[in-house]
Amino acid sequence: MNKKEYLKDKRLYLLIGITIYLVILLILLAFKVNIEATLAITFTYFVGLITILIVDYIRKKTFYNNFKCKLDSLDQKYLIVEMLQDAHFLEGRILTDALYEIDKSMIEKINEYKMQVKDFKEYVELWIHEVKLPVASLTLMVHNQKGDQSKKLLSQLTRLDNYLEQILYYVRSENAEKDYLITKVNLSKVISNVALKNKDILLAKGIDFVVSDVDIEVLTDSKWLEFIINQIVDNSIKYSKEQNAYIKIVAKDENKVIRLIIYDNGKGISKSDLPRVFDKTFTGTNGRGESAKSTGMGLYLCRELCNKLGHKIQIISEEGKYTKITILFDKNTFFHIDKE
Amino acid sequence: MTKIKIIEDDLSIANELKEILENAGYLAEVTEDFSTILDQIRKEQPDLILLDINLPKINGEILLQQIRKESNIPVIMVTSKNTEVDEVLSMSYGADDYITKPYNPTILLLRIGAVLKRSERSTDKIIYHNLEVIPQKGIINQENKEIILTKNEMIIFLYLLQHQGKIVTRDELMTDLWNNDEYINDNALTVNISRLRSKLKEIGYEEAIETRKGQGYILHE
C-alpha cells in the first residue's frame, strides 16, 4: 500500500470533505464573517481532515504491509492465520476473524479426506491380505492335482501375486512411517528368495541366473528390498531376448557404499525413454509392445521405496544390448543411532 | 512318523496343506477348535507346528509365546502378513522360520525338512548301504576309498538319500538347488546327475539312481 493508492481509494471521502468545506465557506460568507475568522476555520478544518487521513493511513499501512510481506515469504500460504498481528481497526479484525474461520473449516475438510484416504488404504491392505488366502489355497490345490495345466496355472498365479504385491507396496510407500524396519540384511538371502520366486519362469524361458559375491550385509528392510529386486528381475525377464539371455547379479563393497548391480542382456531401453522410466505410470516403447504389457508402476515404486529407505537407484541402458540397474546402500553411521 | 500340526483358520488352505504333507510322508493334523489349542498341543505332542498369525479368538504371535513358555517344539509361522516387523517379532518370540503366503509348496516342504533336521542335530553322517556320506566335507567313504562330490552333486545326492525309494522330480531337485543358492539351468542339472552317477559307478553303485522317463529319478533303497 502506498500513498497514491490510499488517496485514490479515499477519493470519495476527500470529495465529501471538500464539498462540506465549500458549504461552510458559503455559510461563513453569507453571515459576513470577517476574513481572519474564515481563514482560522479553514486552517483548522483542513488540519483536522489531513490528520484523520494520516492516522488512518499509518494504521492500515502497518497492518496490511505486514500481512502482505508475511504472505509472500510463507511457503504454505494457509499458515498466515498463525502469523497475523492483532488489527486495531474494524476491517482488519473482520479480515482476521474471517481468515481464521475459513482456515478452520478447510482444515476440518482436509482431515475428513485424510481419514477417508486412511480408511481406504487400510481397507486395501486388509483386502490384499484376504485375497492372498485364496491365492495360497489355489497354489496348494494346483500342487495337489498335478496335471498338464499345472505350470500354466502356477505362472498365472505368480502373475496375480506380483500385481497384488505392487498395489500393497504402493499403499505402503504412500504412508511409510510405520511399515518398515531397518535391520542388517544379508543380500544373498534376499536374492535367494527372489530367485526361488522366479525359478520356474527363468528355467522355462532358458534365462541363466548368475549370482556372485552377494554374501554382504546391508542396512535395509528385507521385505521391501525383496520387492524392489523382484520388480527389477521381473522386468529383466519380461524384456529378455530369445537366445542366450542372462541376468547377472553382483555386489561390490566399496569405501563408503555397497553397490548391488543387476545386469541383463535384454532388449534395453531407448535413449528417449530412459530419463522417464522411474516416472509414475510411464510405459515406454517396450512396455507398450505386445509381448509384455506394463503398468508403469514397477520402477516408480522401486525408486519411491529406495528413497524412503535411503538407498539410491540408478539405471543405464543401451537399446538392444543391455540394462544395468544399480542400488547403492549407504554404509553411513546415520542408521546406527540405536546403538549409541 | 513325524507329526505336524496345522494351525490355520482358512479351511481350504488347511486341508490342501494336509494333503501335501501327507503325500510327503508326514502325519498332518488340522486344528478345528481354536479355543483349546494349547491343550491340544499338550495332548498330541506334535513334532512341528505350522502357525498362522491371523487366527480367530487368538493372535498367532501371542500363541507362539505361550507355546514357548512350556516347550521347544519347532514352529514355522505361515502368514499373509509380509512385513519385516511381523517377521522380526515372530522370530524374537522363538519361531524357527517365517514363510509368507502364497508360498511354493516344494519350498515349504524344504523348510519343514530343514527345521526338523536342525532340531534333530544328528546329520553329520548318513549311511547308505556300505557308504558313509559326510555332507559337511562333501565326501563319500567306502571302507578305504574316498570320493569327493562337488557342492551341487552333494545337494542332489542328499535330496535323493532323504527320499529313498520314492520318485524325485527334476523340479524338486531344481528347487532344492536354488534353495541352496545354486542357480543352475536344466542342462547343468543333467550334467550334474550324470557326473554323480559316474562317481557312484566307481564304487560299484552303477544302478543306484534310476531314471523314470517323464517323471524323474529314484534312488533305490
Side-chain angles (χ1 to χ4, degrees), chain B residues 10-154:
Chain B
D10 189 301
L11 271 182
S12 162
I13 292 182
N15 288 324
E16 295 295 333
L17 208 52
K18 185 179 154 106
E19 198 178 329
I20 283 179
L21 292 173
E22 282 173 353
N23 285 339
Y26 296 109
L27 199 71
E29 194 78 50
V30 175
T31 310
E32 270 145 21
D33 181 7
F34 291 93
S35 51
T36 57
I37 299 178
L38 274 177
D39 290 331
Q40 290 172 43
I41 293 171
R42 275 184 213 121
K43 212 170 73 196
E44 290 165 17
Q45 292 288 328
D47 299 294
L48 186 137
I49 297 172
L50 293 178
L51 181 58
D52 188 11
I53 292 185
N54 295 317
L55 293 171
K57 291 175 194 153
I58 189 162
N59 174 296
E61 283 159 349
I62 292 167
L63 182 63
L64 173 64
Q65 280 179 305
Q66 290 173 352
I67 294 172
R68 275 288 168 267
K69 269 181 204 155
E70 43 193 282
S71 94
N72 276 321
I73 303 173
V75 175
I76 300 181
M77 304 299 282
V78 183
T79 171
S80 61
K81 283 170 99 177
N82 65 339
T83 66
E84 186 82 29
V85 180
D86 281 303
E87 177 163 348
V88 169
L89 215 57
S90 294
M91 298 308 261
S92 75
Y93 290 159
D96 295 86
D97 206 342
Y98 188 95
I99 300 173
T100 49
K101 288 176 194 158
Y103 40 79
N104 177 331
T106 317
I107 294 171
L108 179 72
L109 291 174
L110 284 172
R111 297 274 187 93
I112 290 173
V115 168
L116 285 171
K117 224 188 289 168
R118 220 185 296 154
S119 73
E120 281 171 17
R121 276 193 223 120
S122 61
T123 47
D124 305 345
K125 267 187 217 164
I126 299 164
I127 307 294
Y128 178 70
H129 297 267
N130 70 341
L131 299 182
E132 198 183 71
V133 186
I134 306 170
Q136 262 77 27
K137 292 185 189 163
I139 53 173
I140 302 177
N141 282 327
Q142 186 190 41
E143 282 148 43
N144 42 23
K145 252 191 183 172
E146 189 182 278
I147 286 184
I148 299 170
L149 296 187
T150 63
K151 191 183 170 198
N152 289 350
E153 291 160 4
M154 186 50 95

Side-chain angles (χ1 to χ4, degrees), chain A residues 32 37 42 48 109 122 124 184 199 205 222 230 232 302 319:
Chain A
K32 294 194 177 78
T42 305
K109 199 77 191 163
E122 279 172 2
V124 170
K184 268 191 188 164
K199 176 182 121 300
K205 286 197 164 190
S222 72
N230 194 49
I232 297 169
C302 287
E319 202 171 5

